[in-house]
């Protein structure tokens, strides 16, 4: 008996750009490459496409890469695990329908007892099939707002690398798919096998924190040009104990009017906006300097090193030290004597 049959969904409508190829390659590498010294037999892998054996899928990147699958969507119902790595971009960005046969095939596989898994935008396929209703789920942070809006019954969490809800699992985008696939190996074959496989792949067996540490904290652009000068001034004076009153006086309007106009322009309250800017400043300093935590807390306006750590854990999901290790500086970025 093998560790299980894993069916990876590939649709003809996906023109395989480099990101599609990357997300497709993750389950193929984890489950399709036998590791007989770790577990024998290993997993059985099937690539299941909508046009199995008919014609190849060609890459949009012009690399000459082509893919022909030997299995179709009907084969999903015979798998132990079904993985949807991604769906076509127009289905996410423009709301176009998913490939017609995909959704009923996913439902049949789930009803037959398959464990259902999505990587990145594959969550849209599971959600369309109703498999995420009432469940906590995630996707790439660039698409979680669209997922939540389109499927209000799904409890979307954009802060995590993956969500294990028993028989349905979802992951964030790109490399988070590898985190989830290793988690599946850990569930199926134990921590020892998963850890050794991770070492073989030269990746951490488990990454600290979630995808919150990678989310772009940029504030949406505002059409209210009259606020731009005061917001630019605030960004350059984050080390000061700024208040709503300070910013309102700088803008020559009442605090109440400033509060309303900033919220209309950015979707944030003044205090939320300030905290976001301070966190962005601290992230930039951690990424590009070797300054001690106390100094970074001071320059960003987040206060002491303890306060810096508190806000990072609450909003970024990792400590400042862990964040710094995730974004190592190049030699040219290092400050002379800063590490001492």
């Amino acid at each position: 008996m093998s560790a299980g049959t894993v069916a990876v969904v590939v649709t003809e409508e996906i023109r395989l750009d480099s990101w599609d190829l990357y997300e497709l390659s993750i389950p193929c590498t984890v489950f399709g490459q036998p590791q007989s010294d770790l577990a024998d037999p290993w997993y059985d892998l099937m690539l299941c496409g909508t046009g199995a054996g008919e014609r190849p899928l060609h890459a949009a990147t012009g690399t000459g890469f082509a893919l022909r699958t030997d299995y179709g969507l009907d084969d999903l119902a015979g798998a132990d695990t079904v993985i949807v790595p991604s769906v076509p971009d127009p289905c996410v960005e423009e709301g176009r329908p998913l490939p017609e046969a995909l959704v009923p095939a996913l439902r049949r596989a789930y009803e037959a007892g398959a464990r259902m898994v999505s990587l990145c935008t594959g969550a849209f396929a599971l959600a369309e099939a109703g498999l995420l209703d009432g469940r906590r789920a995630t996707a790439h942070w660039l698409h979680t707002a669209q997922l939540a809006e389109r499927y209000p019954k799904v409890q979307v969490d954009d802060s995590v690398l993956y969500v294990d809800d028993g028989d349905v699992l979802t992951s964030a985008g790109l490399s988070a798919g590898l985190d989830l696939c290793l988690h599946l190996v850990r569930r199926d074959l134990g921590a020892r096998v998963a850890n050794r496989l991770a070492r073989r792949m030269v990746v951490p067996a488990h990454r600290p924190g979630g995808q919150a540490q990678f989310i772009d904290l940029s504030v949406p652009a505002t059409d209210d040009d009259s606020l731009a000068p005061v917001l630019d001034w605030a960004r350059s004076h984050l080390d000061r104990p700024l208040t709503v009153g300070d910013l309102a006086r700088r803008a020559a309007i009442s605090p109440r009017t400033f509060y309303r106009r900033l919220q209309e322009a950015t979707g944030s309250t003044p205090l939320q906006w300030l905290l976001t800017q301070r966190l962005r400043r601290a992230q930039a300093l951690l990424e590009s300097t070797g300054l001690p935590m106390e100094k970074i807390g001071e320059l960003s306006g987040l206060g002491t090193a303890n306060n810096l750590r508190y806000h990072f854990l609450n909003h970024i999901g990792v400590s400042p030290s862990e964040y710094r290790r995730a974004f190592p500086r190049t030699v040219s970025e290092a400050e002379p004597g800063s590490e001492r």
Side-chain angles (χ1 to χ4, degrees), residues 108-128:
R108 288 194 299 270
Y110 180 70
E111 291 166 0
R115 177 174 58 184
M116 308 301 291
V117 179
S118 67
L119 314 182
C120 195
T121 58
F124 284 78
L126 298 191
E128 185 66 25

Side-chain angles (χ1 to χ4, degrees), residues 57-186:
L57 305 177
H58 293 281
T61 54
T63 60
F65 183 90
L67 174 66
R68 177 179 286 114
T69 63
D70 292 327
Y71 300 94
L73 295 178
D74 289 341
D75 294 300
L76 298 182
D80 298 295
T81 300
V82 172
I83 300 178
V84 187
S86 61
V87 298
D89 284 343
C91 297
V92 177
E93 303 296 342
E94 304 168 21
R96 294 186 188 178
L98 291 166
E100 184 177 358
L102 177 58
V103 170
L106 293 175
R107 289 178 181 147
R108 288 194 299 270
Y110 180 70
E111 291 166 0
R115 177 174 58 184
M116 308 301 291
V117 179
S118 67
L119 314 182
C120 195
T121 58
F124 284 78
L126 298 191
E128 185 66 25
L131 303 183
L132 299 182
D133 287 356
R135 295 178 185 264
R136 180 167 159 261
T138 194
H140 194 294
W141 61 265
L142 283 171
H143 305 298
T144 47
Q146 293 163 301
L147 182 66
E149 180 180 3
R150 199 170 302 168
Y151 303 101
K153 294 182 180 180
V154 182
Q155 302 167 19
V156 179
D157 186 345
D158 66 359
S159 68
V160 294
L161 293 174
Y162 60 83
V163 174
D164 182 342
D165 198 35
D167 57 347
V168 178
L169 302 92
T170 55
S171 85
L174 298 170
S175 296
L178 179 54
D179 293 294
L180 178 51
C181 288
L182 288 172
H183 173 72
L184 291 172
V185 174
R186 190 178 301 110

Side-chain angles (χ1 to χ4, degrees), residues 159 208-215 217 275-288 292-293 296-327:
S159 68
Q211 66 171 327
Q213 61 189 302
F214 304 106
I215 293 176
L217 294 178
L275 177 58
T276 298
Q277 299 308 304
R278 295 187 193 284
L279 286 168
R280 289 185 65 198
R281 175 64 172 152
Q283 286 178 302
L285 291 170
L286 288 167
E287 293 172 18
S288 61
M293 298 303 172
I296 289 176
E298 175 187 333
L299 292 175
S300 64
L302 291 173
T304 65
N306 284 338
N307 283 343
L308 176 69
R309 178 180 174 82
Y310 170 81
H311 287 296
F312 258 69
L313 289 173
N314 273 5
H315 298 280
I316 308 299
V318 293
S319 70
S321 297
E322 289 171 328
Y323 184 88
R324 173 172 271 170
R325 285 195 293 270
F327 294 92

Side-chain angles (χ1 to χ4, degrees), residues 3-63:
T5 299
V6 176
V8 180
V9 176
V10 183
T11 63
E12 289 187 66
E13 288 77 7
I14 298 178
R15 294 183 62 80
L16 296 170
D17 62 25
S18 57
W19 281 25
D20 291 329
L21 290 174
Y22 180 63
E23 285 161 344
L24 177 61
S25 72
I26 289 170
C28 291
T29 301
V30 172
F31 303 111
Q33 179 65 40
Q35 308 286 342
S36 57
D37 60 322
L38 301 183
D40 191 17
W42 193 246
Y43 295 87
D44 292 323
L45 180 75
M46 300 188 298
L47 290 181
C48 300
T50 56
E54 294 179 5
R55 59 188 177 87
L57 305 177
H58 293 281
T61 54
T63 60

